[in-house]
Structures are given as C-alpha cells and as structure tokens.
Amino acid sequence: MNVIFHIDESAKWPMVLNNVQHYHEWLTAHRVNAQVEILANGDAVTAAVQGSKVDLSAVANGNTNVSVCANSLSQRHIDQDSLQPGLHVVPVGVIELAQKQQAGFAYIRP
C-alpha cells in the first residue's frame, strides 16, 4: 500500500507527521512493505527550512521520502540549500502528486 501524503498548509504538519507515524506503525504490525512519501507545496514549504519548529529529520532519515515543491520554494524566495537535511526537491508538486497516483499510490490529504 504505497501512499503519498499531501500537505500545503503549515499548520497541518503535526497532523501529517502523526498520520505518517501511525501508517508506519500499521505497516510494521502487519508486516507490509510500502513506499511512503510526503509532498509539501504551498505554504507548507516554509516549515521545511533548517531551524523550523517542524523537525522533519526523523521522517526524512527514516523510511519516508519527503519531497518539497521547487515552484513553491521559488514563489516564497526560499533557497533549496536552506532546507532541512534529507529532503528532496521536485520541480512541480502537483506533477509529483499526479505521477504517484498514476503509479498506484494512495493519496491522503489530512
């Protein structure tokens, strides 16, 4: 059960991170292998920078791919070099979402 979690509002980071944790706990308990990704675009990218109150290191260095939209970064004048370690930049967030869904990923937007 591959899944992509979509976040575009900074205030929803705690909910998304809890959902990802619960998802991984379920996968582990049921011995299911899956790819898990978080795609951040819109205002949610502002929390992806180093020094943010939202610490993405645990998920980014674990078994979750955290992707950040380059367009959203550019619109907010955020340099990619200022992102927290382990994050991946994708050119267009909505394209990433569409490609993952086309590849069979479930889409979750808390």
Side-chain angles (χ1 to χ4, degrees):
M1 285 194 317
N2 297 334
V3 66
I4 187 161
F5 290 86
H6 177 206
I7 179 168
D8 61 359
E9 300 172 55
S10 291
K12 291 191 176 182
W13 273 111
M15 184 186 317
V16 168
L17 295 174
N18 282 334
N19 284 339
V20 169
Q21 178 183 347
H22 295 151
Y23 194 77
H24 279 298
E25 289 169 356
W26 186 92
L27 291 173
T28 300
H30 292 86
R31 297 182 182 172
V32 175
N33 291 322
Q35 294 178 41
V36 179
E37 181 173 344
I38 298 171
L39 182 280
N41 70 341
D43 286 332
V45 302
T46 60
V49 298
Q50 296 176 36
S52 168
K53 292 180 182 179
V54 178
D55 182 7
L56 298 173
S57 63
V59 292
N61 295 322
N63 45 8
T64 300
N65 183 34
V66 181
S67 298
V68 181
C69 173
N71 284 340
S72 295
L73 291 171
S74 177
Q75 291 167 355
R76 286 156 184 80
H77 308 289
I78 299 172
D79 188 73
Q80 293 181 19
D81 293 334
S82 70
L83 295 177
Q84 296 180 41
L87 307 187
H88 303 89
V89 177
V90 295
V92 183
V94 294
I95 298 298
E96 179 75 3
L97 291 171
Q99 289 175 331
K100 292 297 183 183
Q101 289 180 74
Q102 189 174 37
F105 279 62
Y107 172 82
I108 299 175
R109 182 173 180 210

